[in-house]
Amino acid sequence: MAGTLYRIILFVQDVDRLVGFYGAGLGLTPSEHVPGEWAVLRSAGCELALHRAGEAWRGDAAAEAGENSNAKIVFAVAGPLQSHREALARLGACMGEIRHFAGHPGPLCDGQDPEGNVFQLLQSAG
């Protein structure tokens, strides 16, 4: 059996805030949106769905999520990585330093969205 990655779901506190963040910062466009509850954001190869976290994971319990997650979403971006890093920081992301690794095709940078969900920017070749 062969599968194709179709959608990644993040359970979040504020759906609308993150729709704005991922739209303005990374150009993802909503294809579905129920304000305050859920949204589906389109990208070239995979959808990012944002669902409001269940009652048990709201408020104080949310502090245990985010950076303690073992998941990381990676976005390939065109153009200078530094400009993307700065733009996302202005939108409320906590951005790490740009790093280079031997054998890796380009620079990369980790960040956390306004709720602490971890992502990575990868400068695409070209």
Side-chain angles (χ1 to χ4, degrees), residues 1 22 29 40 43 57-58 75 81 87 95 99 101 116 121 126:
M1 177 178 137
Y22 285 106
T29 57
V40 176
S43 183
W57 295 102
R58 294 182 191 162
F75 296 95
L81 191 56
M95 300 300 299
R99 299 176 294 158
F101 293 100
L121 300 179

Side-chain angles (χ1 to χ4, degrees), residues 70-91:
N70 62 356
K72 183 186 292 187
I73 303 169
V74 179
F75 296 95
V77 295
L81 191 56
Q82 182 64 29
S83 61
H84 291 287
R85 181 183 177 277
E86 291 169 0
L88 289 168
R90 285 191 299 273
L91 291 170

